Amino acid sequence: MASAADQDGLVLLRQSISASKAFIPSASADAAAPEVPLAQATHLDLRSIYFAWLNREVAIPEYNASATKLNDELATAGATGKVQNLGFIERLDLITWLEGASEESEYIKPLAGDKDGSAAGAATAAKAGAVSSTAHARSGKGTMDPRLASIYNGERKMGDRNTVLRGIKPTDFSHVRKLAAPFIQKKSHPGSNNISANPSLALNPKAPTRRPDPIILLSPSASSLLRLSNARTFLQDGKFAPAESSDSTATRIHVQRIIPAVDPNRPMRFILVEGSGQFKPEYWNHVVAVFTTGQTWQFKNYKWSDANDLFQHTLGIYVGWRGDQPPDNVSGWGHRVLSTGVDRWRGEGHDASRFRDKEIVEQIWKSIEANMRSRGWRKDAAPTSI
């Protein structure tokens, strides 16, 4: 069994988070050294990732400002490195992986020499720009004593089932393809004996990529009935409650939903945000719906700032009070915007009056599903353009 000392610092950081163990920046290799400000730490290889984890709950503007401030402090302290300002999706994906909510990340790749990622104590490297160390590291603090490291180097390394079965290098079994061809041809129907028609026998098939999560944009307007504070309760649980006017710094939430037309067996995770300030151009290909109050200033910084252009590329959704007329703008945008209404809020204890909420939620999800199907969402891939 590989010891914890043989693991990469990024793996150790994730394990420390899972076990609620302390990981502290230090200016000394001494295990008893006190904690120092991040700008003064000299024994933390994962500064950018550690910084992103510490600021996982703050809003994007505050996160950017903190990163700028820390880089100024690093420059003042004479440090050569800088904290990389991670993008919105990169930061979200990294935090989800560190928390243990996901076992894979498109931004974290195995180190050279362990491409299959299956060996015990596999080391991983972050694409986000943080330097990953393969040195014998403690949990975010210092390197191993050289004398102890020499003892570990003299140990006899025990193999695991992967090295016993496969060896230290991947084996190319492509020659078996030629041996299997006659048997496949005999069992195939006439006219279908071409081995290239069977993708399972393709030579060096391209490894599947992780499908991005679809994105739903909420309106940041204070008059919107649906905000980050109540969207999950409404869209996932089918119950409407007024949005809370709290001091929460949350910038996104997740909603799980099975979309039968895309993947009938596995729930899809939707990312809900109220703005597109941190979007990269390709993120717009993942937008499946835009909630609106009819106020056009919401679209000012969107890829398509004109509402008519926007709703030609994605679905618009308006949620108002049942019985009220939707705004003129919403009516003018026509069938490209789904107009719905929920019963007025009568206060806690009147749950019996909320029975229509699930009906509205199902109507919304059916429209989102139809839009995703028409835009090319598949079980294993997202559209490359919308």
Side-chain angles (χ1 to χ4, degrees), residues 22-77:
F23 39 91
I24 55 178
S26 171
S28 170
D30 186 359
E35 181 177 359
V36 299
L38 195 55
Q40 301 175 17
T42 58
H43 290 70
L44 184 65
D45 298 309
L46 307 172
R47 184 186 286 122
S48 294
I49 294 178
Y50 179 64
F51 175 77
W53 170 255
L54 292 180
N55 293 274
R56 61 191 181 279
E57 298 295 338
V58 304
I60 292 174
E62 184 179 349
Y63 170 77
N64 294 338
S66 298
T68 301
K69 180 181 178 182
L70 178 57
N71 284 332
D72 292 340
E73 293 175 351
L74 288 170
T76 302

Side-chain angles (χ1 to χ4, degrees), residues 172-190:
D172 184 8
F173 290 101
S174 60
H175 65 281
V176 179
R177 180 171 174 265
K178 295 180 180 179
L179 300 176
F183 300 97
I184 299 298
Q185 291 174 357
K186 289 179 181 179
K187 292 184 178 182
S188 299
H189 296 292

Side-chain angles (χ1 to χ4, degrees), residues 211-215 262 268 281-288 313 371-386:
R211 180 194 62 205
D213 296 327
I215 299 173
V262 178
M268 298 185 69
E282 60 269 23
Y283 295 168
W284 282 103
N285 297 329
H286 309 152
V287 174
V288 296
H313 292 86
N371 179 57
M372 293 178 68
R373 182 175 63 248
S374 65
R375 298 299 177 185
W377 283 86
R378 302 196 309 274
K379 181 178 180 179
D380 56 352
T384 55
S385 64
I386 62 173

Side-chain angles (χ1 to χ4, degrees), residues 9-27:
L10 183 56
V11 175
L12 290 171
L13 176 60
R14 187 176 190 238
Q15 293 176 345
S16 297
I17 293 172
S18 176
S20 300
K21 293 183 179 179
F23 39 91
I24 55 178
S26 171

Side-chain angles (χ1 to χ4, degrees), residues 130-346:
V131 179
S132 178
S133 171
T134 56
H136 300 296
R138 294 170 296 161
S139 187
K141 185 177 180 181
T143 56
M144 183 175 291
D145 186 286
R147 292 170 296 179
L148 185 57
S150 64
I151 295 175
Y152 276 112
N153 290 334
E155 284 186 337
R156 178 183 177 185
K157 301 299 181 182
M158 301 296 293
D160 59 14
R161 69 181 187 88
N162 293 299
T163 55
V164 170
L165 294 175
R166 301 183 183 181
I168 61 175
K169 294 183 179 180
T171 304
D172 184 8
F173 290 101
S174 60
H175 65 281
V176 179
R177 180 171 174 265
K178 295 180 180 179
L179 300 176
F183 300 97
I184 299 298
Q185 291 174 357
K186 289 179 181 179
K187 292 184 178 182
S188 299
H189 296 292
S192 62
N193 58 0
N194 188 351
I195 197 170
S196 63
N198 189 343
S200 64
L201 296 177
L203 183 61
N204 297 326
K206 183 179 180 182
T209 57
R210 179 174 175 264
R211 180 194 62 205
D213 296 327
I215 299 173
I216 296 177
L217 280 168
L218 301 178
S219 171
S221 173
S223 64
S224 176
L225 298 186
L226 210 61
R227 302 293 301 273
L228 284 177
S229 60
N230 66 342
R232 180 185 288 114
T233 303
F234 183 63
L235 293 176
Q236 188 163 283
D237 302 332
K239 181 181 177 182
F240 175 81
E244 300 175 0
S245 56
S246 63
D247 296 329
S248 174
T249 58
T251 59
R252 82 277 178 185
I253 60 173
H254 299 149
V255 170
Q256 298 275 352
R257 175 80 180 192
I258 288 182
I259 305 297
V262 178
D263 190 344
N265 301 316
R266 183 180 57 174
M268 298 185 69
R269 186 180 74 164
F270 291 78
I271 301 174
L272 276 64
V273 294
E274 288 187 347
S276 61
Q278 296 296 315
F279 271 28
K280 293 181 179 180
E282 60 269 23
Y283 295 168
W284 282 103
N285 297 329
H286 309 152
V287 174
V288 296
V290 174
F291 281 80
T292 179
T293 60
Q295 298 166 294
T296 56
W297 59 261
Q298 173 188 350
F299 317 131
K300 180 179 179 181
N301 296 319
Y302 285 10
K303 179 179 180 180
W304 301 282
S305 57
D306 181 79
N308 291 304
D309 291 339
L310 173 66
F311 297 128
Q312 284 180 354
H313 292 86
T314 192
L315 172 69
I317 301 175
Y318 169 77
V319 178
W321 296 121
R322 184 185 298 272
D324 287 359
Q325 291 293 326
D328 292 340
N329 279 342
V330 174
S331 301
W333 295 329
H335 68 279
R336 291 170 294 187
V337 177
L338 172 66
S339 181
T340 63
V342 296
D343 290 320
R344 290 186 177 276
W345 179 252
R346 297 174 57 192

